[in-house]
Amino acid sequence: MPKLVLPTDAPSLADAVAVAVLDGVAAGELVPGVTYSVYQLAELLGVSRSPAREGLLRLAEAGLVEIRRNRGFQVLPPQAHDIEEIIGIRLALEPPAAGLAASQGSAEQHAAIRSTLAAMATAAIAGDEASFWPADRALHDLLLHAAGRPRTAAIIERLRGTTALLGPPTTASGRTLSEIHAEHEPVVRAVLARDGQAAEIAMRAHLEATRSLLVANLQR
């Protein structure tokens, strides 16, 4: 049996199962080509079958495991095309939404966007990733809601969660938190100036830079 550890700081049991499986893959405890039992996984981690299945389903959605009916699951190595597909979807949705956030967002929404960018700057200066990434996610979410796109916001949040499962963040390639913050500055500057075209261009540049680094991480 592989040696897996259930993390205690995950938001839910399903998230904890997903992280435990990913950690097991990274440690060589779970390897491609071997079929593992869902029941054994649940027993090994000390959880019921329901969160074990839910955690595996999340990994399956990310293309990191293949669930075999009545047999178990196999782990799959992440592929660059998974990242390319996800960022491709985001490129279709987020740049136009940034333009709408500029033209349609309320003064209150713009103030929240400005404040969140400032929080990113503070976290970047302190090197505080635990505060930086939630602020990053919040900024994208605020932009989408300012554009009047709550369904798109929900889709993007799910895609970001899937991306996190596929590999390390772009900081693993040497990209600093300050550099990531700097990519968001022209987006926010354009939104606050109500320059929709500039906001769209800046968001596209940010996402394309992110895609390049995430793909590079997987190809190492």
Side-chain angles (χ1 to χ4, degrees):
M1 284 290 292
K3 296 178 181 178
L4 302 179
V5 178
L6 189 74
T8 58
D9 57 351
S12 68
L13 276 178
D15 290 317
V17 169
V19 171
V21 170
L22 290 176
D23 288 346
V25 174
E29 294 291 330
L30 299 171
V31 297
V34 176
T35 300
Y36 299 97
S37 166
V38 177
Y39 307 123
Q40 288 179 327
L41 175 68
E43 183 177 353
L44 181 63
L45 295 176
V47 301
S48 67
R49 295 173 187 175
S50 180
R53 289 196 188 96
E54 186 178 344
L56 288 171
L57 283 172
R58 294 182 186 182
L59 294 174
E61 289 177 358
L64 293 172
V65 304
E66 179 183 6
I67 299 176
R68 302 195 164 194
R69 185 175 179 85
N70 299 325
R71 294 181 60 189
F73 69 95
Q74 289 189 354
V75 299
L76 303 171
Q79 302 292 326
H81 67 75
D82 296 322
I83 290 291
E84 290 170 348
E85 180 181 8
I86 288 171
I87 301 299
I89 296 170
R90 293 184 63 183
L91 280 166
L93 298 175
E94 290 194 79
L100 289 173
S103 62
Q104 298 183 9
S106 68
E108 292 78 9
Q109 287 171 322
H110 282 192
I113 289 166
R114 182 189 298 110
S115 176
T116 304
L117 181 70
M120 287 178 66
T122 299
I125 292 170
D128 182 3
E129 291 202 30
S131 298
F132 184 86
W133 294 117
D136 182 322
R137 290 194 297 272
L139 180 61
H140 283 260
D141 189 67
L142 285 167
L143 288 166
L144 290 165
H145 279 88
R149 296 290 185 269
R151 293 180 183 84
T152 301
I155 292 169
I156 296 303
E157 179 61 25
R158 190 171 185 87
L159 290 174
R160 287 179 68 110
T162 300
T163 304
L165 295 174
L166 287 169
T170 55
T171 48
S173 299
R175 187 192 199 192
T176 66
L177 298 182
S178 293
E179 287 171 339
I180 298 170
H181 166 263
E183 289 179 14
H184 289 80
E185 279 189 309
V187 179
V188 172
R189 185 167 58 247
V191 168
L192 298 182
R194 297 197 177 275
D195 186 339
Q197 183 178 11
E200 184 169 348
I201 291 171
M203 179 61 80
R204 184 171 300 280
H206 164 55
L207 291 174
E208 288 176 344
T210 299
R211 176 177 59 189
S212 295
L213 289 172
L214 289 173
V215 170
N217 283 347
L218 290 181
Q219 292 176 336
R220 287 184 172 185

